[in-house]
């Protein structure tokens, strides 16, 4: 297989594992030994003169601890408080000061009185265009999941752990996951949203959102039962983009069933009616 194709496949595979919530992959010593050949082959680098000794490494940069702070916002109603918070986030000196996020802010959408709040990772191209979270392909998948639960989008509150689309070189329609610094910069706004809305259940969509909220480990390990955050039950489940990728590869059923099992637990926790049909969506036989 030509090296660029092999590298593209490898990147795709690693992105899929990341969406599945994994932070490490096992590589055998044999594969590791082959990797430099694959990566170097197309570059055909000319012979270089002997190198000067490398400069001393820069001092280690330690990512600052996330600030788990609830901001004080003005307003008498939830709507007014959310509007004030949105205006604060829009100007966020911490987020904007990073210089790695795009200008357009995508705050959140939904019902301030929602009993269910869903938190994704960051807006993508379509979300940035429409200035609304989860309106692209992953959003359509999320809307389907909510429908299957008997919920309309406007009954819930949908937000992201990072309020700006992470910037990339030659961005076009490309998206990337937010870094810990980018998520930390937005964390006080998300925690304040939770404090204003006071949802009965929070769903974290994917490993990035879970990490940003302070949960360590892969989605595979974290999903399936409720976690707790400042007194609120949190269900961590796979990101809808992961379901889309799995579907494209023809291996989507297990992840879909697992997300549905998680959502049944969410419905139970909220006391929503669950029909036999809903309970049996993925039942064998
Ligand atoms: N993926 C996310 O995590 N959030 C969005 O808003 C869109 C896609």
């Amino acid at each position: 297989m030509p090296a660029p194709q092999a590298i593209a496949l490898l990147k795709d595979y690693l992105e899929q594992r990341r969406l599945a919530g994994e932070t490490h992959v096992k590589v055998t010593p044999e594969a590791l030994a082959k990797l430099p050949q694959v990566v170097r082959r197309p570059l055909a680098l000319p012979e270089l003169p002997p190198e000067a000794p490398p400069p001393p490494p820069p001092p280690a940069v330690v990512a600052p601890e996330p600030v788990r702070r609830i901001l004080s916002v003005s307003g008498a109603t939830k709507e007014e408080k959310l509007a004030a918070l949105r205006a604060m986030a829009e100007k966020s000196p911490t987020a904007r000061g990073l210089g790695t996020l795009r200008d357009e802010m995508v705050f959140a959408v939904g019902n301030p009185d929602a009993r269910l709040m869903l938190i994704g990772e960051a807006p993508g191209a379509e979300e940035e265009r429409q200035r609304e979270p989860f309106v692209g392909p992953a959003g359509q998948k999320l809307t389907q999941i909510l429908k299957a639960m008997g919920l309309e989008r406007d009954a819930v509150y949908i937000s992201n752990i990072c309020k700006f689309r992470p910037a990339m070189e030659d961005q076009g329609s490309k998206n990337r996951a937010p870094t810990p610094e980018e998520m930390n910069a937005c964390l006080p706004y998300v925690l304040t949203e939770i404090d204003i809305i006071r949802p009965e259940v929070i769903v974290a969509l994917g490993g990035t959102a879970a990490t940003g909220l302070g949960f360590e480990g892969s989605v595979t390990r974290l999903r399936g039962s409720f976690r707790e955050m400042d007194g609120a039950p949190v269900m961590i489940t796979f990101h809808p983009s992961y379901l889309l990728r799995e579907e494209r590869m023809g291996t989507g059923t297990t992840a879909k069933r697992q997300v549905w099992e998680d959502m049944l637990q969410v419905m139970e926790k909220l006391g929503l009616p669950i029909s036999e049909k809903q309970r049996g969506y993925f039942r064998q036989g």
Side-chain angles (χ1 to χ4, degrees):
M1 181 185 299
Q5 203 179 329
I7 292 167
L9 271 177
L10 179 61
K11 278 174 77 178
D12 201 47
Y13 172 77
L14 292 174
E15 171 63 3
Q16 200 183 353
R17 301 319 316 153
R18 186 188 72 74
L19 283 170
E22 287 178 23
T23 51
H24 295 79
V25 285
K26 276 196 183 144
V27 184
T28 61
E30 297 76 34
L32 203 58
K34 280 189 188 145
L35 209 50
Q37 298 166 21
V38 177
V39 176
R40 284 199 196 120
R41 206 183 301 141
L43 295 177
L45 291 174
E47 284 284 310
L48 293 173
E51 277 183 24
V61 180
V62 181
E65 280 290 303
V67 182
R68 298 191 70 86
R69 186 160 65 99
I70 306 226
L71 305 166
S72 103
V73 280
S74 55
T77 62
K78 286 184 175 188
E79 284 82 357
E80 284 172 8
K81 286 183 181 167
L82 286 172
L85 184 65
R86 179 188 288 255
M88 284 162 78
E90 181 101 58
K91 292 200 212 91
S92 167
T94 327
R96 298 220 178 261
L98 291 172
T100 56
L101 294 166
R102 287 167 62 93
D103 284 345
E104 212 68 75
M105 181 190 65
V106 180
F107 189 68
V109 68
N111 187 341
D113 291 315
R115 300 174 64 209
L116 174 60
M117 173 167 177
L118 301 111
I119 305 177
E121 100 180 17
E126 194 52 32
E127 286 74 23
E128 185 183 58
R129 205 176 64 75
Q130 296 191 37
R131 299 202 72 177
E132 181 173 325
F134 282 103
V135 287
Q140 282 153 27
K141 181 49 80 186
L142 180 61
T143 306
Q144 272 176 19
I145 295 170
L146 291 170
K147 268 225 147 71
M149 297 168 75
L151 294 170
E152 294 298 325
R153 255 175 90 95
D154 58 13
V156 301
Y157 186 87
I158 306 175
S159 189
N160 278 313
I161 194 75
C162 180
K163 304 284 185 200
F164 302 80
R165 183 175 170 212
M168 294 174 78
E169 259 182 52
D170 304 322
Q171 183 121 30
S173 59
K174 284 185 284 179
N175 299 315
R176 68 166 171 85
T179 63
E181 289 76 19
E182 290 164 347
M183 292 193 281
N184 289 347
C186 295
L187 188 61
Y189 304 104
V190 181
L191 296 179
T192 310
E193 276 179 295
I194 295 171
D195 189 60
I196 295 170
I197 290 164
R198 305 224 166 227
E200 288 166 51
V201 175
I202 297 169
V203 171
L205 298 163
T208 306
T211 307
L213 289 172
F215 297 96
E216 278 180 25
S218 68
V219 177
T220 313
R221 274 202 317 104
L222 291 169
R223 61 155 293 276
S225 55
F226 283 100
R227 314 272 148 186
E228 197 250 54
M229 196 180 81
D230 304 331
V234 181
M235 178 61 79
I236 295 162
T237 196
F238 292 113
H239 193 283
S241 297
Y242 177 65
L243 296 186
L244 290 175
R245 275 165 176 263
E246 290 279 297
E247 271 173 21
R248 277 201 298 275
M249 294 174 67
T251 53
T253 325
T254 307
K256 227 161 138 180
R257 179 174 47 73
Q258 289 173 323
V259 169
W260 186 242
E261 283 165 3
D262 296 341
M263 292 308 108
L264 281 175
Q265 288 195 51
V266 168
M267 290 170 74
E268 271 165 13
K269 182 72 96 188
L270 290 170
L272 296 176
I274 304 179
S275 68
E276 271 313 297
K277 188 175 164 206
Q278 282 170 317
R279 223 174 255 294
Y281 271 161
F282 289 93
R283 214 173 263 158
Q284 305 279 329

